[in-house]
Amino acid sequence: MNATYKKMVKMAMTTVMAGGIMMMGQSAMAAPAQPQVHVDSATKDMPGHVASKVLDVKADKTEVGLISNVVYEQVPSRGYANVPMQMDILQPKTKEKKPAILFVTGGGFINANKDNGIQLRMHLAENGYVVGSINYRVAPTAKFPEPLEDVKAAIRYLKANADRFGIDPARVGIVGGSAGGYLTAMAGTTSGTTTFDKGENLQVTSDVKAAVDLYGLSDLTQVGADFSEEVQAKHRSAGATEALWVNGSPVFGGRDGGILVDKQAAEAANPIHYISKTSAPMLLMHGTADTVVSPSQTDLLYQALQKSGIPSERYLVTGAAHGGKYWVQEPVLKIITDFFDQYLKK
């Protein structure tokens, strides 16, 4: 065997050995050995050692993380060119892609505190949903449809950042209460259209697969229809928040008068007006003791959805007011979760 041949054999063997070592190293990195734990070995032989209690736990509850104050868009508002609209995200810590739900808080059209609804949001997150909660523009410095544009921008943001947050963008729903229920209904009935899509992430849609409207408004000209004439008169006044929502404030270029001053504008702000074959399946719930928004509001929408053949359900919650403790009870949370599971998981 000459020197050149010996050198070639030696190089080949070195290459094979190096490859084997690399493969072993990759295998070890892929599946690191679980370190052994010798529990209390450092203390068990101490004189007078007292044994601890042992708790066996079944780890079947999902861990949830919070990502706060995520900016989902920047919009002109209150004289500023780029006011950040923010979202808090509850994220189940699992590896697979999960469906997402956007929570839209209420606030009488004049507030939008994304801290609200924490028990509902946590319940949904613990049941395997990424849950975003948003603030949005409100009256009197904003008017319809600007807040709806914010809601749709938030839906698009979740879809556009699906990989970042572990979301399946094909499985997105929406839920809200009161004014948030109204915006949820608007997002649900206009799903499948681009009518109110404006701003960022327009490469994805704002469609939703399911919508849950909790004691929301629908026909803004009849918000007080189940109440006394005195209350109904207040809802017809120029100071009613639904009037500011549709007409804006005359101080900021809006139209003066109550909700009936521009019936065409009020109709354009009614989710019933947008029901079509692409509208999302909808669950509606209302309390029988609601003295803020007439229970008829969700029934008007429910009857219209049923007439148009849109899959929909409606529940009256006995004794429940406008928000409050009834809405965080297990039977209510289960109905909401089961509805989302039907359309976002099955």
Side-chain angles (χ1 to χ4, degrees), residues 89-92 98-102 125 128-132 158 165-167:
I89 297 175
L90 294 175
Q91 186 179 37
K98 297 163 286 295
I101 296 172
L102 183 70
Y129 291 95
V130 175
V131 183
L158 288 173
F165 299 116
I167 293 170

Side-chain angles (χ1 to χ4, degrees), residues 168-294:
D168 178 354
R171 296 184 291 155
V172 176
I174 185 169
V175 60
S178 191
Y182 161 82
L183 286 167
T184 290
M186 288 295 301
T189 55
T190 60
S191 185
T193 75
T194 58
T195 306
F196 297 104
D197 280 299
K198 182 180 178 180
E200 303 168 25
N201 298 308
L202 293 173
Q203 76 278 11
V204 294
T205 75
S206 60
D207 299 352
V208 292
K209 296 292 186 183
V212 176
D213 173 358
L214 306 176
Y215 45 89
L217 306 88
S218 55
D219 184 345
L220 301 182
T221 67
Q222 302 185 62
V223 176
D226 294 337
F227 308 141
S228 68
E229 175 55 36
E230 180 183 3
V231 172
Q232 292 184 46
K234 292 178 179 178
H235 280 285
R236 292 192 295 268
S237 72
T241 54
E242 60 264 35
L244 295 173
W245 182 259
V246 173
N247 302 327
S249 168
V251 174
F252 294 99
R255 184 169 184 172
D256 196 10
I259 190 65
L260 298 175
V261 74
D262 189 339
K263 292 184 178 180
Q264 186 174 357
E267 173 65 18
N270 187 337
I272 296 171
H273 181 73
Y274 299 95
I275 295 174
S276 73
K277 63 181 181 180
T278 65
S279 295
M282 194 173 301
L283 167 66
L284 303 104
M285 303 182 78
H286 218 123
T288 61
D290 193 330
T291 59
V292 178
V293 172
S294 296

